[in-house]
Amino acid sequence: MRLRTGCQWRNLPPQWPNWQAVYYYFNRWKQDGTFERINAALNQSDRKRVGKEAQPSVLCIDAQSVKLNPMICEHRGMDVNKRVNGRKREFVVDTDGRLWVVDVHAANEAEGPASISLIGTILWRVGERLEKVYGDQAYNGAFAQALTEWSIDFEKASRPESTQGFVPVAKRWVVERSIAWTNFFRRIVKDYEYTLSSSVSWLYLANIQIMLQRL
């Protein structure tokens, strides 16, 4: 309910347990990695459902800048290109748009250098099958070099510079579609969280709901 409607903790329906109890388990599962494990297990089940290996061999990465609640100052920055004062989300999805790894940081941090810390999580989550990662120009520097050190190919998938307006980019449009799916969840259309870990958890929960609907 909180994910779809943006309901505040204190405004949970009366038939639910006390909101402090619900938040206790949300916070506990956020800290011990329960949401990430559930997300990975559902991703694997959905891949098997469509006849694919449980672990992907190809991933796509892209970022989304979102506004931050004006009352929050922690981890805030200005994305001058998007003109967004808030935070930036790094999405790592497979070729069907399933979210495997996500990170959140201030919007003024460049995508490439900021996403280097994700590589260890990606390898741990996906395993040895990973062969290639697609991304745009922002990841073609430090991030691509870091992948090379792990014998993983990086391929830049960007629209031609001469084109104008929105153009779907082959092999990378899936991550842009996954980012668009966040619009179906009012809780994450904008960032309302004081902590980055809570922001990350809500994004995993959104993918968990999508996977449950597919299964």
Side-chain angles (χ1 to χ4, degrees):
M1 173 172 289
R2 295 200 71 245
L3 183 60
R4 283 286 186 182
T5 67
C7 174
Q8 296 172 323
W9 288 112
R10 290 171 176 79
N11 292 332
L12 287 176
Q15 61 268 28
W16 283 47
N18 187 279
W19 74 266
Q20 288 98 332
V22 180
Y23 178 76
Y24 167 80
Y25 283 102
F26 170 82
N27 193 53
R28 179 177 176 179
W29 294 341
K30 173 185 72 175
Q31 294 178 355
D32 65 13
T34 297
F35 294 135
E36 288 91 332
R37 291 192 295 273
I38 294 173
N39 181 74
L42 290 174
N43 282 345
Q44 293 172 16
S45 297
D46 190 53
R47 287 181 61 87
K48 292 178 181 178
R49 179 184 63 84
V50 296
K52 294 186 176 182
E53 294 287 338
Q55 304 287 356
S57 60
V58 177
L59 294 174
C60 305
I61 186 170
D62 203 357
Q64 174 198 35
S65 295
V66 294
K67 294 181 179 179
L68 181 62
N69 190 312
M71 304 301 293
I72 302 175
C73 299
E74 291 81 358
H75 307 287
R76 175 188 289 273
M78 172 64 75
D79 183 341
V80 294
N81 294 320
K82 303 289 181 59
R83 298 182 181 180
V84 173
N85 184 4
R87 291 176 179 166
K88 190 174 291 183
R89 300 165 174 171
E90 306 275 357
F91 291 78
V92 182
V93 308
D94 63 16
T95 52
D96 288 327
R98 303 175 189 87
L99 181 66
W100 285 87
V101 179
V102 65
D103 190 29
V104 180
H105 52 81
N108 60 333
E109 297 181 29
E111 293 97 307
S115 59
I116 293 177
S117 60
L118 288 177
I119 295 177
T121 305
I122 293 171
L123 294 174
W124 176 70
R125 189 75 64 199
V126 174
E128 298 179 354
R129 289 198 73 241
L130 183 60
E131 299 176 356
K132 180 176 290 189
V133 176
Y134 288 97
D136 60 17
Q137 179 63 37
Y139 299 95
N140 201 29
F143 179 76
Q145 181 60 39
L147 285 177
T148 302
E149 296 174 2
W150 290 92
S151 300
I152 300 172
D153 294 332
F154 176 82
E155 183 171 326
K156 184 178 69 171
S158 300
R159 68 177 188 175
E161 296 182 359
S162 59
T163 59
Q164 296 181 356
F166 174 76
V167 177
V169 180
K171 302 181 178 65
R172 216 188 84 227
W173 65 269
V174 290
V175 65
E176 295 170 348
R177 182 185 61 179
S178 297
I179 291 173
W181 285 342
T182 61
N183 292 316
F184 293 105
F185 304 93
R186 185 175 295 180
R187 191 68 182 81
I188 57 177
V189 169
K190 184 177 180 179
D191 199 328
Y192 297 95
E193 305 301 321
Y194 283 94
T195 64
L196 299 181
S197 58
S198 291
S199 297
V200 167
S201 294
W202 285 114
L203 294 169
Y204 280 127
L205 284 169
N207 188 71
I208 287 171
Q209 187 170 135
I210 293 172
M211 293 301 104
L212 287 173
Q213 290 172 343
R214 288 186 182 182
L215 294 169

